[in-house]
Amino acid sequence: MQSRYQDSIRVLIGFETECCTGYIQHVESLRNRFQPDYIVGSIHHVRDIIIDWTPEQYAQASELVGGIDALYCEYFDQQHELITALRPKVIGHFDLIRMHDKDYRQRLEQPKIKERIRRNLELIKELGSILDFNLRAFEKGATEPYVSQSILQMALELGVLCAPGDDSHGVATVGLHLERGIEILQQTGFSTDWPVPSH
Ligand SMILES: [Zn+2]
């Protein structure tokens, strides 16, 4: 694709991470082997249990750590570890942990959760990484993208870069909801002059 379309578009190659036991070494070895242009740092598990699949698995993870509040805290602590260790250029669906929680808006305001969110956003800002404004959320029944409005506002205040992403899992959904995402970012006050991600 890179060579076929080199005259019309610059195609970057990357991959998205997981965050399961042993992931840091594994991602580092993949990175050394494939030399991607950049990686997307994402979490889909807490204590190796998937949190963005069924509500039952979400409940199981929550039970294991001592409740939904604790689940959010662990998720954001793991995210901090991932960003520190791997320094991904893009942070994927930052608040995916809210997926099976209908009370997520209130929960994101809880001090122990909010302070972790701020800490992670400050780290993203410090590294100059980019927050993924993940529009696939609309495909999964959410009324707003990942990140949600309160986090988007905090990111804006901290000067974190934010770019829309379709998180497409196939050719058919490339670019889906992108216009809507760009419109929200512009209305919130974000620049849409995005940098090219590299390493
Ligand atoms: Zn993902």
Side-chain angles (χ1 to χ4, degrees):
M1 289 297 180
Q2 262 180 339
S3 51
R4 194 192 299 172
Y5 296 107
Q6 61 182 344
D7 294 337
S8 53
I9 188 171
R10 182 173 167 203
V11 177
L12 299 176
I13 296 172
F15 66 82
E16 183 185 24
T17 74
E18 295 288 356
C19 188
C20 302
T21 302
Y23 74 98
I24 294 175
Q25 268 192 324
H26 186 57
V27 171
E28 289 293 19
S29 75
L30 289 173
R31 210 180 209 175
N32 289 334
R33 185 171 161 204
F34 294 104
Q35 303 281 319
D37 294 311
Y38 71 101
I39 63 169
V40 178
S42 295
I43 296 173
H44 310 91
H45 300 77
V46 170
R47 294 200 201 177
D48 294 336
I49 300 177
I50 193 158
I51 50 86
D52 70 333
W53 201 244
T54 69
E56 290 73 23
Q57 285 161 317
Y58 188 88
Q60 193 192 340
S62 159
E63 214 166 287
L64 186 67
V65 301
I68 301 180
D69 287 4
L71 186 67
Y72 274 58
C73 290
E74 278 217 22
Y75 172 89
F76 286 116
D77 287 348
Q78 279 184 195
Q79 188 176 60
H80 190 266
E81 178 194 80
L82 184 151
I83 299 170
T84 304
L86 299 172
R87 305 164 77 92
K89 196 64 195 180
V90 176
I91 313 303
H93 44 63
F94 180 90
D95 58 347
L96 185 68
I97 192 64
R98 69 169 220 232
M99 184 172 172
H100 289 299
D101 176 21
K102 60 177 172 31
D103 301 321
Y104 77 85
R105 285 193 173 86
Q106 296 94 296
R107 208 176 311 275
L108 292 173
E109 296 305 317
Q110 289 199 22
K112 65 183 174 189
I113 294 168
K114 199 167 187 170
E115 73 195 23
R116 284 173 164 84
I117 290 170
R118 176 175 289 275
R119 174 198 64 192
N120 293 8
L121 288 177
E122 281 170 350
L123 179 60
I124 294 167
K125 163 71 183 167
E126 194 186 308
L127 295 175
S129 296
I130 304 163
L131 203 56
D132 159 43
F133 193 48
N134 190 293
L135 302 158
R136 189 173 162 82
F138 289 130
E139 291 300 294
K140 297 196 259 187
T143 55
E144 60 179 345
Y146 303 109
V147 298
S148 58
Q149 188 58 42
S150 65
I151 299 176
L152 190 63
Q153 200 57 47
M154 198 190 283
L156 180 73
E157 283 157 21
L158 292 170
V160 176
L161 300 166
C162 191
D166 58 23
D167 196 351
S168 185
H169 289 204
V171 175
T173 50
V174 169
L176 200 65
H177 305 300
L178 225 49
E179 296 303 323
R180 195 167 161 194
I182 292 169
E183 202 181 300
I184 299 170
L185 288 177
Q186 282 173 334
Q187 280 169 356
T188 312
F190 278 94
S191 163
T192 51
D193 183 17
W194 301 293
V196 175
S198 59
H199 297 292

